Amino acid sequence: MEKFLTDLETNYKLKSIKQLKNHDNEFYVEVAAAQFNAYCLALHKTFISTVMTMFAEEQKDHFIIYCGFAAEKMAAWIFVVLKVDKNKPEFPSIARQIYAANLFEREMREMFGLEPTGNPDGRRLRLHDEVWPEGNFPLRKDFGKEKDKALGEYRFSKVDGEGIFEVPVGPVHAGIIGPGHFRFSVAGEPIINLEIRLGFTHRGIEKLLEGKTVNEAVKLSEAVSGVSSVAHSWAFCQAAEKICGIKVPRSANYTRAIYLELERMYNHLAAIGGIALDVGFSQPAALAAIIKEALHQLNEKLTGSRFLKGTNVIGGAAKKISSEEEKLIWGTFSSLAKDFAELKEMLSGSVSFLDRVDTTGWLRKKSAEDFGVLGLSGRASGINFDLRQGFMPPYDDLDFKIATATTGDVLARLNLRLEEFAASISIIKKLLNSLSAETILAAKIENRAGFGLGVVEGARGPVLYWVSLNKSGKIERCKIVDPSFRSWQGLSYAVLDNIIPDFPVCNKSFDLSYAGNDL
Amino acid sequence: MSTLDKLITNCLRRGIVTRSIEAKEYELLGAELKGLINRRFARSFNIREVDTGSCGACEAEIIAANNPLYDISRFGVNFVASPRHADALLVTGPVSKNMVLALKKTYEAMPEPKFVISCGDCAFDGGVFLNSYYVEGGISKVLPVAFHIPGCPPTPLEIIKKLLTVLNKL
Ligand code: SF4
């Protein structure tokens, strides 16, 4: 990597101030403000990596901004680091060159009061203007009580023209679902613009994590997105374990991966059932719900939680999978195999259903790249990125291949989910076969100061936790990125030219998390 | 065989799935609940659900209570799309500041008589999100709450059990 960076700097005429290697696969390159844009752009282009995470951290006399990229071939992470003076809290925006940075920059502005100079969109994401006065930056260390100042109002982008009308929906929706505001502009039937305003479930989790011990934080990480509790808590534990130099036994990682795949399976079924239901095809929807329930009941028997909460602890897994439990898993899988085959047949055998989902909600590869849409929705549009390939050790032992598609429509996302569901079963089988009697908890668990990144490919895509711990083992800063954060923008593009009645099915095919986005 | 033929054969082969649930207790509870709803609510008890910042797991369990196995609607409990059709409001989440207004408006839109049920530990007092700068810390800070369903998240079985006690006390 060091050599790669030297070459990069000569090729692109770049200069760095300092380079730092952290743990085995994290590299931090500090640059001057004038070099920030060019450096990020060079990494973005050479790795073809989107901005995986971008965040700020407050130090005693300055802010630090990190912009993280994934170097897939080297299975490493590179962060471009920029120090920002407290008296002049601003940094050069890179959103004009790399659009995927846009939301992260807006996030830093509202949370830290750091101005991304050159970013054209000054609107806030989570701290809604109607309830949160300007000039209160919750992630600053000196943030105490909110100061009274005038409240404002959110500006929706407006589409004007003859015959164009707006359809506002939410935040409270008709179904049992999270809150979000969707504003459609339609000309006749087709949607010509969709603006999604989120943040309604903002709970201030990143701030809540500060000052907590790592053990306390695991529980909170499970509640970031409750239907991805394994992915989130694993990513957090991974980061903390890296920092503290804890060696997680192989069996523990296998156990974690088994739970992660179980989580992926029930999530995919929820989406598959939702897709069927939202076009009024209720029988497969019911069947998907039946299989999903069988999985929740299995989860409960295995871990005591239908959502696999409490399975990850710092240092490993909370509980071993016993041989009886192994039998239980095999049993459940063989009994759901028939139902699953039937579900597939029902979906693919109905011409009228296929007609509804084929070419509906098309997300072009280019748009997906621009927004940084990864995970399942990215793979459906031809972006072959999966952290399980190279970035997550337990999967290196399996000959694991990712499933991809290129068409990027509802059908592609549906088929990928069906494929990944089947793949998860075979992954779990392989993992179970190679589970050994080895312990599942690290022998030595101690606290250390430092920082590090934890990454997990959850059901919706990459979940990233960047954590910094102080000397007493408490959290100084924790940046969470749920894949939904970038993917919601993908949805707002995918629905263009579709009709509003097809919005629910497009939405379900992405199956994004409100809670994970809003933090 | 055409798709329709297949569907019909499948239905006949599979039988009534709702019966295959392991918990016999559930059916007994359900029958009791149904009787109660028949008497008190003229056969249908309508709930409007609102998420004020939940992690999503509580929603997933409420949806599960509606799946073909639990199928809570056969006991007369319906989840409705509009607050105007609702007898009760079922609220999850610790109440993010952003949801205060929407929550109040939803409640106001409901016809009288009405009551509020909070669902999940964080809806009670903020739960894991307690002391955050952006949460109100429980539904009762914003609306009068008549009953609470504890759990993080409560299972579908726990939801129906609690509903039964709730309606009994009413
Ligand atoms: S009670 Fe628990 S499961 Fe329910 S929304 Fe709150 S944190 Fe999530």
Side-chain angles (χ1 to χ4, degrees):
Chain A
M1 180 60 86
E2 285 84 353
K3 181 172 177 314
F4 165 82
L5 286 173
T6 328
D7 290 349
L8 184 88
E9 291 187 5
T10 13
N11 287 347
Y12 285 87
K13 297 197 181 60
L14 297 167
K15 232 179 90 196
S16 56
I17 300 174
K18 206 161 79 192
Q19 293 183 8
L20 173 86
K21 185 175 171 191
N22 190 30
H23 312 300
D24 281 337
N25 63 349
E26 293 171 28
F27 294 84
Y28 294 80
V29 184
E30 192 189 327
V31 298
Q35 288 274 300
F36 187 64
N37 266 3
Y39 220 108
C40 288
L41 201 60
L43 289 177
H44 172 62
K45 279 191 181 149
T46 12
F47 297 145
I48 327 173
S49 159
T50 183
V51 176
M52 296 296 290
T53 177
M54 190 177 181
F55 54 92
E57 187 200 17
E58 184 173 344
Q59 296 279 353
K60 221 186 228 126
D61 43 8
H62 56 264
F63 293 102
I64 306 179
I65 289 170
Y66 299 86
C67 184
F69 297 91
E72 226 183 327
K73 291 217 179 70
M74 292 175 261
W77 300 88
I78 297 194
F79 291 87
V80 183
V81 179
L82 175 69
K83 278 195 182 143
V84 175
D85 192 352
K86 276 202 174 161
N87 298 321
K88 209 169 162 239
E90 55 179 50
F91 64 97
S93 161
I94 58 169
R96 279 184 194 277
Q97 287 93 356
I98 314 171
Y99 186 73
N102 179 34
L103 292 184
F104 291 109
E105 291 182 354
R106 287 168 63 186
E107 187 183 28
M108 280 189 266
R109 170 160 44 201
E110 66 176 319
M111 293 297 175
F112 281 95
L114 286 164
E115 184 63 32
T117 43
N119 184 321
D121 197 344
R123 295 175 302 172
R124 290 192 247 157
L125 300 167
R126 302 187 179 110
L127 308 173
H128 287 183
D129 314 59
E130 292 84 352
V131 296
W132 191 258
E134 185 66 56
N136 291 281
F137 308 116
L139 285 182
R140 284 211 181 167
K141 294 285 180 203
D142 64 358
F143 170 76
K145 256 182 86 78
E146 68 194 85
K147 286 172 258 162
D148 276 338
K149 273 192 185 166
L151 296 171
E153 207 183 321
Y154 185 80
R155 279 177 293 109
F156 283 94
S157 39
K158 211 152 175 58
V159 183
D160 282 325
E162 203 184 309
I164 289 177
F165 60 95
E166 266 184 358
V167 184
V169 184
V172 180
H173 299 280
I176 305 167
I177 189 172
H181 184 90
F182 298 82
R183 193 161 288 205
F184 300 92
S185 300
V186 289
E189 292 265 31
I191 300 167
I192 52 171
N193 188 43
L194 164 61
E195 186 167 350
I196 307 178
R197 187 188 189 196
L198 296 169
F200 289 94
T201 70
H202 180 56
R203 289 143 288 160
I205 293 180
E206 288 182 5
K207 185 74 178 182
L208 269 178
L209 281 167
E210 289 180 9
K212 285 215 168 20
T213 64
V214 285
N215 287 319
E216 291 166 347
V218 179
K219 191 159 187 285
L220 194 51
S221 69
E222 288 177 338
V224 172
S225 172
V227 288
S228 302
S229 55
V230 178
H232 276 266
S233 56
W234 188 359
F236 174 77
C237 288
Q238 212 187 89
E241 285 152 2
K242 253 182 169 179
I243 300 168
C244 301
I246 299 170
K247 280 249 165 308
V248 181
R250 209 176 60 126
S251 279
N253 272 331
Y254 278 18
T255 312
R256 285 173 170 181
I258 291 172
Y259 292 136
L260 182 71
E261 294 305 322
L262 283 170
E263 180 172 276
R264 191 183 318 281
M265 286 168 74
Y266 81 70
N267 271 296
H268 281 350
L269 276 173
I272 294 166
I275 292 172
L277 193 68
D278 283 342
V279 295
F281 198 11
S282 47
Q283 218 204 350
L287 189 52
I290 291 170
I291 310 174
K292 180 172 183 269
E293 177 64 27
L295 284 170
H296 282 305
Q297 291 182 6
L298 171 68
N299 293 346
E300 189 172 16
K301 284 185 196 135
L302 292 176
T303 67
S305 159
R306 287 164 55 90
F307 292 84
L308 303 160
K309 288 193 180 195
T311 46
N312 286 318
V313 291
I314 300 288
K319 219 182 105 275
K320 231 188 187 117
I321 297 179
S322 68
S323 52
E324 285 93 74
E325 286 167 343
E326 200 180 321
K327 277 195 209 106
L328 208 66
I329 300 178
W330 295 117
T332 313
F333 283 178
S334 65
S335 67
L336 65 75
K338 203 165 164 206
D339 282 344
F340 183 67
E342 202 179 301
L343 174 67
K344 264 172 84 168
E345 203 186 308
M346 247 188 244
L347 292 172
S348 58
S350 163
V351 180
S352 56
F353 170 71
L354 290 178
D355 189 45
R356 279 297 294 279
V357 291
D358 193 11
T359 67
T360 305
W362 178 35
L363 180 66
R364 288 174 184 80
K365 185 176 182 192
K366 177 80 176 70
S367 316
E369 276 169 359
D370 286 349
F371 290 127
V373 176
L374 296 174
L376 186 127
S377 338
R379 290 195 285 280
S381 292
I383 297 176
N384 301 341
F385 184 83
D386 190 318
L387 288 175
R388 286 176 291 172
Q389 255 184 347
F391 289 100
M392 291 178 68
Y395 290 90
D396 295 347
D397 305 347
L398 320 163
D399 55 36
F400 163 76
K401 276 196 196 63
I402 53 170
T404 50
T406 47
T407 43
D409 52 3
V410 174
L411 183 60
R413 287 185 287 275
L414 173 69
N415 284 337
L416 265 194
R417 283 183 201 282
L418 290 165
E419 259 179 70
E420 285 203 356
F421 183 89
S424 288
I425 294 185
S426 65
I427 292 173
I428 293 176
K429 285 187 176 166
K430 279 185 204 157
L431 288 166
L432 279 175
N433 282 334
S434 35
L435 263 187
S436 60
E438 213 188 322
T439 157
I440 48 154
L441 206 61
K444 209 167 99 209
I445 296 176
E446 54 174 21
N447 283 331
R448 266 189 225 163
F451 52 91
L453 179 76
V455 302
V456 169
E457 182 82 21
R460 291 173 182 77
V463 174
L464 270 62
Y465 272 66
W466 187 90
V467 179
S468 148
L469 300 178
N470 63 20
K471 277 196 223 82
S472 45
K474 301 234 166 91
I475 295 172
E476 274 294 321
R477 170 88 174 101
C478 177
K479 173 69 201 136
I480 305 167
V481 185
D482 185 272
S484 306
F485 185 54
R486 284 169 306 213
S487 299
W488 276 110
Q489 307 173 88
L491 172 64
S492 70
Y493 253 56
V495 299
L496 299 184
D497 271 343
N498 289 265
I499 56 177
I500 292 188
D502 274 348
F503 173 73
V505 70
C506 296
N507 186 16
K508 260 292 157 220
S509 72
F510 278 84
D511 191 31
L512 301 172
S513 159
Y514 292 88
N517 175 81
D518 298 346
L519 299 177
Chain B
M1 246 200 286
S2 78
T3 314
L4 188 63
D5 289 341
K6 260 189 229 155
L7 291 183
I8 295 170
T9 346
N10 277 335
C11 288
L12 293 174
R13 180 180 62 75
R14 194 179 289 276
I16 299 175
V17 191
T18 40
R19 280 196 195 138
S20 76
I21 195 154
E22 276 172 35
K24 287 236 169 51
E25 187 196 0
Y26 184 76
E27 295 304 317
L28 294 175
L29 286 173
E32 209 179 316
L33 181 63
K34 190 172 181 177
L36 205 61
I37 288 172
N38 282 350
R39 289 197 304 279
R40 297 263 174 87
F41 290 90
R43 295 198 300 275
S44 71
F45 174 54
N46 289 350
I47 299 179
R48 172 65 248 185
E49 200 268 349
V50 173
D51 171 352
T52 67
S54 96
C55 72
C58 275
E59 267 61 40
E61 288 298 54
I62 298 170
I63 294 171
N66 286 285
N67 74 23
L69 286 147
Y70 297 101
D71 196 11
I72 197 169
S73 68
R74 72 201 147 110
F75 307 132
V77 181
N78 304 308
F79 284 82
V80 290
S82 163
R84 301 235 186 260
H85 306 155
D87 300 304
L89 196 62
L90 182 66
V91 197
T92 63
V95 193
S96 167
K97 276 190 191 298
N98 292 338
M99 278 306 287
V100 176
L101 184 66
L103 177 61
K104 282 187 183 154
K105 278 193 173 172
T106 309
Y107 181 70
E108 278 160 21
M110 291 167 69
E112 296 276 0
K114 56 187 169 187
F115 61 95
V116 179
I117 310 168
S118 54
C119 175
D121 291 350
C122 68
F124 184 67
D125 61 355
V128 281
F129 311 116
L130 191 72
N131 295 330
S132 160
Y133 63 93
Y134 218 71
V135 306
E136 299 290 321
I139 314 300
S140 60
K141 299 269 158 58
V142 184
L143 294 179
V145 175
F147 304 100
H148 175 68
I149 304 176
C152 184
T155 63
L157 195 61
E158 283 162 1
I159 293 175
I160 176 173
K161 263 191 201 164
K162 192 66 196 182
L163 274 183
L164 196 63
T165 29
V166 163
L167 297 182
N168 246 329
K169 276 194 208 146
L170 220 59

